Amino acid sequence: MQELIQSQKIMDEERKQIVLEILADKYCKQILQNTLEKPKSAMEISSEKKIPISTVYRRLQTLYDAKLLSISGSISQDGKKYFLYKSKVKSISINCDLEETTVELIPNSRIN
């Protein structure tokens, strides 16, 4: 059975620019790819992708602000808070000609 995937076309020029800048950032792309299958902590992302933890936290905030990343959190038994991050997009499609740039987001169907 084939799943119908609904893409979301970005109309706002400022948001388009933000998404294009994110795609130009290698760390943002690595984080989105690394969190596509299952939610991961910042430490897991840092360790698996060999990205400095401070860079991971900055990029996580950028991705969250751009609505490309979801955050879930809990408190462990010893009272520590921890957060898990998951990509909200499966892919991003860009079409650019001399008149217009179109950006479409394909949502991650694995979002809970």
Side-chain angles (χ1 to χ4, degrees):
M1 187 169 158
Q2 196 170 19
E3 182 179 335
L4 181 63
I5 298 175
Q6 199 73 327
S7 68
Q8 174 192 359
K9 191 172 186 179
I10 298 176
M11 304 306 287
D12 179 59
E13 291 299 321
E14 186 176 334
R15 181 135 192 262
K16 274 187 208 179
Q17 187 62 36
I18 290 168
V19 170
L20 292 172
E21 288 172 11
I22 284 170
L23 288 176
D25 184 290
K26 70 177 184 177
Y27 296 128
C28 284
K29 287 194 308 189
Q30 287 178 349
I31 290 168
L32 286 173
Q33 182 273 330
N34 190 254
T35 60
L36 189 61
E37 297 292 323
K38 69 175 194 150
K40 296 189 179 175
S41 70
M43 285 302 221
E44 286 177 301
I45 296 166
S46 175
S47 169
E48 290 173 9
K49 289 299 186 178
K50 309 283 189 272
I51 304 171
I53 192 67
S54 59
T55 301
V56 168
Y57 278 115
R58 281 194 305 274
R59 295 317 193 279
L60 288 171
Q61 188 62 54
T62 298
L63 292 166
Y64 179 74
D65 291 345
K67 298 178 177 61
L68 299 178
L69 196 71
S70 65
I71 301 175
S72 59
S74 12
I75 300 174
S76 64
Q77 288 185 351
D78 59 354
K80 292 182 182 177
K81 294 181 189 173
Y82 68 95
F83 296 96
L84 298 175
Y85 304 89
K86 185 146 176 37
S87 175
K88 291 173 75 173
V89 293
K90 180 178 179 180
S91 66
I92 300 171
S93 174
I94 300 166
N95 184 22
C96 185
D97 61 32
L98 296 176
E99 293 181 22
E100 182 184 14
T101 300
T102 59
V103 178
E104 287 187 68
L105 304 177
I106 308 297
N108 186 357
S109 59
R110 294 188 171 113
I111 290 285
N112 298 347

